[in-house]
Amino acid sequence: AEYMGTLVSTMNFLRYPRQSVKVSKEKKGKAFTFATLVSTRLNVNVLVDLPEGEDENEWLAANAFDFFTHVNVLYGALTDCCTDTTCPVMNAGSYDYLWMDGVKIKKPKKVTAPEYVSYLMDWIQTQIEDETVFPTAPASPFPAKYKEKYIAPIFKRLSRVYGHIYYTHKQRIKDLDLLECLDTSFTHFMAFVQRYELITEKKDLAPLTPLLESGEQ
C-alpha cells in the first residue's frame, strides 16, 4: 500500500518548471515546484517547450532523467505479472527487441522482458552517474552531439518499455487504477520525442503510432 501510494503520487505530479539536471542530481537545492497533470486537460506544449533562457542540452538531460524515473516507477508496479515466464521475450505487440550495450553485451542478445528492463535501467543509471554525460558542475560542458549520441538512444529504448506495458500489461495497469498515470506519462513522452525528433526511424515508431492514433494516451 505504501509503494502504491508513492507510485500514484510520483506519477500524478510532475515537476514544472523543471530545475536543470545539474540540480536534479544533487541532494541539496530548492524544493521542486509541482503541477498536477490530468491527461484529458494536459497542455503538452507547456511541458515540452524549451524554457526561456534554458540550454537545450540541459533540458534534454533533465527530461531524460525524469522519463527514466517515470518508466522505472511504472514498470515497478508490474513486477508480479511481468516475469521471465509470462514475458519470455521483450516486445511491443509484434515487435521483438534484443539487448546490446556494446560494453557488457557486445552482440544482440535475446532476453526476457524483465531482463531487458533491468539491463536498460542499469545502462541509463550508469550514464546518469557519469559526470561526463550528465554533468552536475555548473561549468561542465555536455559532450559533442549530445542529443544524437546519448539522449536519442535513451528515449528510443524507454519507448519500448512503454510499448510493452501497453501491449502486454494494460489490463493490469487498469486493475491498479494507474491507466491515467500511464497515459499522462506516455502523452508527455511522445510529445517530447516529436518536438525534439528523438525517435525518427519508422521501425522504431511503428509500435507506438497505433497507440497514439487509437487514443490510448
Side-chain angles (χ1 to χ4, degrees):
E2 181 180 351
Y3 172 79
M4 293 307 299
T6 301
L7 174 60
V8 172
S9 175
T10 300
M11 299 307 300
N12 274 343
F13 294 90
L14 182 69
R15 296 185 287 111
Y16 189 81
R18 283 190 194 76
Q19 299 183 34
S20 72
V21 69
K22 293 177 182 179
V23 175
S24 298
K25 286 177 60 180
E26 295 176 351
K27 295 187 180 297
K28 296 181 181 180
K30 298 180 180 179
F32 292 136
T33 300
F34 291 93
T36 304
L37 299 184
V38 180
S39 59
T40 55
R41 295 179 294 164
L42 179 60
N43 182 354
V44 292
N45 289 329
V46 172
L47 297 176
V48 303
D49 285 346
L50 181 67
E52 184 177 355
E54 180 70 281
D55 175 75
E56 183 170 299
N57 285 336
E58 286 274 7
W59 186 235
L60 293 171
N63 279 271
F65 184 85
D66 280 346
F67 286 118
F68 161 71
T69 302
H70 283 201
V71 172
N72 210 356
V73 172
L74 273 171
Y75 182 79
L78 301 171
T79 53
D80 62 330
C81 64
C82 185
T83 67
D84 292 342
T85 301
T86 62
C87 302
V89 176
M90 177 58 181
N91 58 16
S94 61
Y95 294 85
D96 294 349
Y97 303 111
L98 305 178
W99 178 260
M100 179 181 72
D101 57 26
V103 180
K104 294 181 180 179
I105 299 178
K106 297 183 179 181
K107 295 182 179 180
K109 177 183 178 182
K110 180 180 178 180
V111 295
T112 67
E115 287 175 330
Y116 187 98
V117 176
S118 179
Y119 281 132
L120 174 59
M121 295 306 163
D122 288 346
W123 176 72
I124 296 176
Q125 185 67 45
T126 297
Q127 294 183 75
I128 289 174
E129 293 174 354
D130 186 341
E131 285 290 315
T132 66
V133 180
F134 281 74
T136 57
S140 296
F142 285 89
K145 296 184 178 180
Y146 188 60
K147 182 176 78 170
E148 296 80 3
K149 188 174 180 180
Y150 297 97
I151 299 300
I154 288 175
F155 274 78
K156 180 175 72 174
R157 287 178 162 179
L158 285 176
S159 75
R160 297 170 178 175
V161 184
Y162 279 110
H164 181 73
I165 293 174
Y166 270 111
Y167 282 101
T168 309
H169 302 295
K170 183 179 177 182
Q171 186 56 52
R172 179 57 176 161
I173 288 290
K174 284 183 176 180
D175 293 343
L176 293 171
D177 199 26
L178 294 174
L179 186 57
E180 185 174 305
C181 295
L182 173 62
D183 287 347
T184 295
S185 180
F186 183 62
T187 299
H188 181 196
F189 177 86
M190 289 305 299
F192 195 84
V193 162
Q194 292 169 347
R195 175 64 60 86
Y196 297 98
E197 300 182 331
L198 298 174
I199 303 176
T200 56
E201 294 290 333
K202 288 184 178 181
K203 63 182 178 63
D204 295 320
L205 289 169
L208 306 176
T209 302
L211 299 176
L212 294 171
E213 292 177 346
S214 66
E216 291 285 356
Q217 80 287 3

